[in-house]
Amino acid sequence: MDTGPQHIDFDPRFIAMLDALGHQAYSDLPSVIAAGESPVSLRLNPAKCAADVPQGQPVPWHAGGVYLDSRPAFTLDPVMHQGAYYVQDASSMAHAAAVARAVALTGLTPASLRYLDACAAPGGKTTAAADVLPPD
């Protein structure tokens, strides 16, 4: 199976929309898609503290997101099984940023805020949203 770079003709309007977002990570999206292989990323669990979590480059839109240079053997990592981090694609972490922004824009207090994720299986985006929602 060939996973090398591919030529993809993106709609110029799509490229302009990405550039207008003003962050290099968005402008780089077409080249990342054309590369054919997704980077490995994980999301740290703020409720757990572990010094042995894999280290990497930060995901720009999520404070606890990390891009890894290579894929470790996650199933053999006791730190992952203890819940110190979740293997999660960086694109799924954008959900938490959207939830945090929506809460900030509405000005709802924790007492009046309700969150429902009707597609919660297996729950990675739900736990990411819980990380950015107010307590309780």
Side-chain angles (χ1 to χ4, degrees):
M1 183 167 119
D2 179 29
T3 59
Q6 306 169 25
H7 176 73
I8 300 173
D9 289 321
F10 291 99
D11 187 314
R13 295 172 295 178
F14 177 67
I15 302 298
M17 180 195 72
L18 291 173
D19 289 339
L21 293 173
H23 193 287
Q24 189 62 41
Y26 298 115
S27 297
D28 289 345
L29 181 62
S31 62
V32 170
I33 292 170
E37 195 167 316
S38 299
V40 178
S41 55
L42 56 88
R43 182 174 51 83
L44 303 176
N45 181 351
K48 302 272 182 161
C49 181
D52 296 335
V53 297
Q55 300 295 309
Q57 298 298 315
V59 172
W61 50 87
H62 195 283
V66 178
Y67 283 116
L68 303 179
D69 293 333
S70 62
R71 179 179 292 277
F74 292 117
T75 57
L76 302 176
D77 187 357
V79 177
M80 184 198 78
H81 291 289
Q82 293 167 1
Y85 67 89
Y86 305 96
V87 180
Q88 184 176 43
D89 189 82
S91 64
S92 293
M93 295 177 211
H95 173 75
V99 169
R101 181 78 175 139
V103 170
L105 289 174
T106 61
L108 292 173
T109 64
S112 63
L113 181 65
R114 300 291 182 266
Y115 176 82
L116 170 67
D117 185 348
C119 301
K125 288 186 285 297
T126 300
T127 59
D131 290 347
V132 299
L133 289 168
D136 300 326

